Structure formats: structure tokens, C-alpha cells
Amino acid sequence: MSSYPPASPAQPTTLRQRLAGLRGPAVPPRPLDARALAALAANPGCGRRALLDGAGVDKTALATALGAPASFGQSQFAIVRGNSFEAKVKGDGGAELLRLVHAHLAPAAEPPGPGARVPDLTAAGPEGRAARTALALREATAAGRDSGAWTLLDHPMLALEVAGSPAYLEPDAVVVHPDGRWTVVEIKSFPMIDGAADAAKVGAAARQAAVYVLALEKTAGKLPGAEVGHTVLLVCPKDFSNLPAASPVDVRRERSVTRRQLDRLTRVEELAAALPEGLSFDLATRTPEELARAVSAVDAAYAPECLAACELAFHCRDRARAADQVTALGRSVRGELGALTTVGSALAAAGAGCSEDPTAAALHRAARLRAEALELAAVRPPHPAPETPACPC
């Protein structure tokens, strides 16, 4: 009989340990922000982005190691200008910011005075800051009901579960009204000219604010009397000055779309469980060839829109083109082609046609009409050039 104690059964690997192994045990996770979540929700079928974001992998460094670095992002000048404008808006205890919220969203309420509360939200780590923010929201809601006080939370920390892992978000500000309503405030450096800003930039800000609203609703559900407003306040420079101007933005549609798409995301543990043992995205220990194989092991859903939102977009585009995938042509084309998933198969269907497949038949008819149009244009005489009148001089 052996004198050694019986071996203990192997302990199962937790999700946190599995994700740490994917990015590298010595690599701290890269936190998700609202911009990343808005981009993630815009492409819920991309398991590659869901896994890399869930594991906290630095996609910018990964794309550089793969030889396809991202070329988008704010310039240093824009960042400095935005920070300067935000500091101006929040100066003097947030008096100007609270005035804008009162004027645009609660004109019937008692205006905020010098006694408005600005609690300290400092704490250790994102978990501590999120807990401190939840406590400050509870205290502010109670203070508003008791004394009619306004409260400004400067850069609070909110928690939101995404694809099975927590994401910590930091909005510019959250204002607690005396009636217990919470309002998200987005401060941007692009101008608001004649009371209106660029529609594309406003849409991006609305999608980002919708993520904050979703995170706030989780906390508000635990506090009686708390309510999250679905109208956020967008604060921008007025015209070409540095003076603040504000505009209410209804984010109910963006909130519903984001909620639905985040719910559809494949859970991170399912994606991690399907990967081969030993796969890692550790930049310190893996060669570019090994990183490329690791990235290819996770399915992606590339679309041209990814070029403006994902750090790995150029790598995924190259792979989609190399595989002759129709996704490189856009989601609308992919949806129209149905079972034809490659450009080659679509061209073959256009040339041969197939009465049983309506998509192939439509492609064949379109190709025939195009050929007829080109033939007609070739035989039609060109239009004569207009005569130039003689110079009167």
C-alpha cells in the first residue's frame, strides 16, 4: 500500500483564469469603455471581438503585431481641446453644467443653487469606484427627496455585464434631480452651430450615452424612487467659441437597439471553451505567426463598417478578401446573396444562372441586362461635342 496521500482531483479552471491565460498571465486586462461597447453592440455576430474584449486583450497592440495597425482615433490636439472644454463646463462646482440641465430638462424644478452636492467618488480600483458611485447615487436620491438638493457626479464609475463578463464605464457626468431622476451628460468638443451639431457625431454620442443609461438602470432598479431619464444632455461648444451650449437627445431607440444586441452576444465562456488548449494572444510570448493562427481560430463577422470602429478591422478585411468572402462588400450585399458566400460563387451564378435558386436567377438576369446595356452603348454613336461660339473679339 502506498504511503503517499491520494492525489486531489484537478480543480476546474475558472472563466477568469481562462481569460487571463488568453491575454497572458502577466498582462493586465484592458478595460472596456462605452465606445467599445457601442461598437461591439453594432456587430453582435462577431465572436472574435466579443472574446478579445471580454478577455481584455489590447487589440491595438495585437493589430500592430499582426502587421495591420489601426489608423483611426482622436488626435492629441482633439483630446487636449476636449479636456479643456470639459474642465470649463464643470468649473465652479459644476454650476454651469447644472444650470444647463435645469434649463433644458427640468425648467419647472427648483433651480440648483450654491448648495448643490458634488460627492467625492475616489476609491481603489474600478470595483471600488463602482461601489462608491452606487452609494453616492443612493445618498443623492435620498437627499433630493428630503431637501430638494441637486447632485453632480463627476466621472462616476458604472458596471455593466457584457457577454458574461463585467465592463466598467465612466460617463462624463451624471446629474441627480431633486425628484430622484438621473440624467446622463455627454460633453463633446465638436461644435454646435446655430443650435445643431453634426448628425453623425450626435448619433455616435447617443449610442455611447445609451450604454451609460443601460448601466444606470441596473443600479436604479435596486433603489426605490430612482428613475433613469432616457433623454440625455449633450453639451458642446457654441458655434466657434469655447462657451457651452446644450441640446437634449432622446436615446430610447439607441437604448433598445443596444440592449437587444448586447443580449444576442455569444457568451464569452462559450467562445473560450471552444478554443484549442494552449491558445493565447500573449504578445510577449507569441510570434506574429502564432498570433495570426490564434486570431483565425475565432470566427469573425467582418463588415466595412468595422473600419471605423475596430482595431482589427484591417486584418479581418485582408483575411475576408483572401478568402473571397462577400462580407467584404458589405452587410447589404451579404444579405442579398443568401447562400452564396464567396465572390466566385456569385460570379459563377451570374454567368450560369439557376432556375431553382432565386438569388442565382436574379444575378444571371442582372448580368444579362448589364451586358445588353454595354452592347447598346457600344453601338450608339457618341454625342457630338457642343460647338464653341467664335470669340467676338
Side-chain angles (χ1 to χ4, degrees):
M1 183 175 182
S2 173
S3 59
Y4 292 99
S8 58
Q11 297 297 319
T13 303
T14 65
L15 177 61
R16 186 183 296 271
Q17 293 171 334
R18 178 62 170 141
L19 296 182
L22 288 176
R23 67 175 178 270
V27 180
R30 186 176 182 85
L32 283 171
D33 56 14
R35 290 177 185 269
L37 283 180
L40 183 64
N43 193 3
C46 185
R48 182 174 297 171
R49 173 150 196 165
L51 179 67
L52 293 175
D53 283 344
V57 176
D58 187 345
K59 297 195 301 298
T60 300
L62 180 59
T64 302
L66 293 172
S71 60
F72 66 90
Q74 282 188 310
S75 66
Q76 191 63 33
F77 173 75
I79 294 175
V80 172
R81 181 182 59 188
N83 292 339
S84 174
F85 178 70
E86 181 178 342
K88 179 180 178 64
V89 173
K90 294 179 179 178
D92 194 20
E96 179 64 15
L97 180 57
L98 290 173
R99 185 192 68 80
L100 292 172
V101 173
H102 174 263
H104 289 275
L105 297 180
E110 188 70 21
R117 303 171 69 252
V118 184
D120 183 13
L121 302 178
T122 57
E127 297 91 345
R129 291 186 58 196
R132 180 67 187 92
T133 297
L135 179 60
L137 287 169
R138 180 187 299 272
E139 295 172 347
T141 304
R145 291 198 303 265
D146 295 341
S147 59
W150 290 75
T151 301
L152 169 63
L153 274 64
D154 185 7
H155 283 287
M157 184 65 72
L158 309 175
L160 180 66
E161 183 175 325
V162 179
S165 61
Y168 294 97
L169 315 171
E170 188 177 2
D172 293 328
V174 172
V175 173
V176 181
H177 299 239
D179 61 358
R181 183 157 46 101
W182 303 350
T183 294
V184 173
V185 179
E186 275 291 286
I187 303 175
K188 299 297 183 182
S189 59
F190 55 81
M192 190 175 292
I193 302 175
D194 293 335
D198 181 83
K201 295 180 179 179
V202 172
R207 289 189 293 272
Q208 183 176 340
V211 178
Y212 299 138
V213 170
L214 287 173
L216 275 176
E217 287 178 342
K218 180 180 178 181
T219 304
K222 304 174 183 178
L223 300 179
E227 176 190 358
V228 181
H230 290 160
T231 299
V232 305
L233 191 68
L234 178 63
V235 181
C236 302
K238 182 179 180 181
D239 297 329
F240 299 101
S241 69
N242 202 34
L243 299 175
S247 175
V249 179
D250 191 333
V251 298
R252 282 178 294 183
R253 183 178 67 85
E254 288 80 5
R255 178 231 173 253
S256 298
V257 171
T258 303
R259 176 73 279 169
R260 182 171 65 254
Q261 292 180 331
L262 288 178
D263 288 341
R264 290 172 54 196
L265 287 174
T266 305
R267 296 184 65 83
V268 172
E269 54 263 38
E270 297 175 2
L271 293 170
L275 296 177
E277 194 67 29
L279 184 141
S280 174
F281 303 99
D282 189 356
L283 302 177
T285 61
R286 296 296 190 270
T287 64
E289 292 76 16
E290 291 174 329
L291 291 173
R293 287 195 295 269
V295 170
S296 299
V298 189
D299 291 335
Y302 170 76
E305 293 85 352
C306 298
L307 294 173
C310 182
E311 296 84 346
L312 286 176
F314 291 97
H315 174 80
C316 296
R317 182 185 64 178
D318 293 343
R319 293 300 184 270
R321 288 176 174 177
D324 202 32
Q325 297 175 356
V326 296
T327 52
L329 304 178
R331 290 194 179 98
S332 59
V333 176
R334 175 68 186 90
E336 292 289 342
L337 292 180
L340 303 174
T341 58
T342 65
V343 176
S345 62
L347 293 177
C354 178
S355 58
E356 298 179 358
D357 187 348
T359 302
L363 283 172
H364 182 64
R365 182 172 181 273
R368 180 169 52 81
L369 292 176
R370 178 180 181 273
E372 293 175 357
L374 292 176
E375 182 180 353
L376 182 62
V379 299
R380 181 179 297 171
H383 294 288
E387 296 183 2
T388 304
C391 181
C393 59

